[in-house]
Amino acid sequence: MTPDRIKAARDLIAFHLEAGVDIAVGDEPVDRFAEPAVERPPPAANSAPREAARRERHAPATFSRPGAAADLPPAAGSQSAATPVSAEAAAMAARQAAHSAATLDDLRQMLTGFEGCALRNTATRLVFADGNPAAKLMFVGEAPGYEEDKQGLPFVGRSGQLLDKMLAAIGLDRTQVYITNIVPWRPPGNRTPTPQESQICLPFIRRQIELVDPDLLICLGGPSMQTLLEVKDGIMKMRGKWMPYATGTRDIRAMATLHPAYLLRNPLAKRLAWRDFLAIRKALG
Ligand code: URA
């Protein structure tokens, strides 16, 4: 390759990384521009309200056959990838599905078949949870990253390794805690999930908390705190404070602390997280 072509290839890869394309999903490249365009009939005049109503009615169609392909997203170009539904319809379907899950296994199955969140189409797999479902201490992060998406487990990358060290510092390991995220699919390029994506996934994480039924709930980072504890203030102001959280069956204690990824970037803040972890240890008794 000439130096010009090498530079062009490097620039293209850098552009892909910026755009969030950082994993190869097939062995062979596919030229999507060369594929025949799918003809769609033009919508009839004034059909928009009818079409919106039809989509609302068909909200439960945000599910594929449960368990059809355990934890893996639909193939590109499948109906689910091509049929967006409104956020409200997706949130409603999520509420119904989460409510009907009697066990954590049911909930995992429901999420596997749930097509209301577009993140599942770009993620490699569902990242449901890790740790002990009977634990009294539950951690909720924001969303899986690259390593988590590869392994199908939350907090297994650099942030997860730091979390393990923080747990060890208060005498705990993953067999004594339960760990999950607000959003169970990796957002492209590790971006923060949008409020809409978090809201669509919220009924699932709420039900997951209810089913695990921990005594203490710890939100890792601001987005997790703001979504679950409905707090508007920032993490620096709210971290380390115990707040009530209603699981649906009882009130438990919840606290937000700094996200391990933040601590990796700001090592001086570890002393604040250490205080929070000591408070968690004390609360556990
Ligand atoms: N960050 C998160 O919020 N969750 C993970 O699982 C990994 C990194």
Side-chain angles (χ1 to χ4, degrees), residues 127 140-149 153-160 179-183 190 220-221 224 259-261:
V127 176
V140 182
E142 184 180 315
Y146 175 79
E147 271 305 319
E148 290 76 21
D149 181 65
L153 289 171
F155 284 97
V156 287
R158 283 186 67 222
S159 299
I179 306 174
T180 187
N181 283 303
I182 300 276
V183 169
N190 292 350
L220 294 169
S224 167
H259 194 288

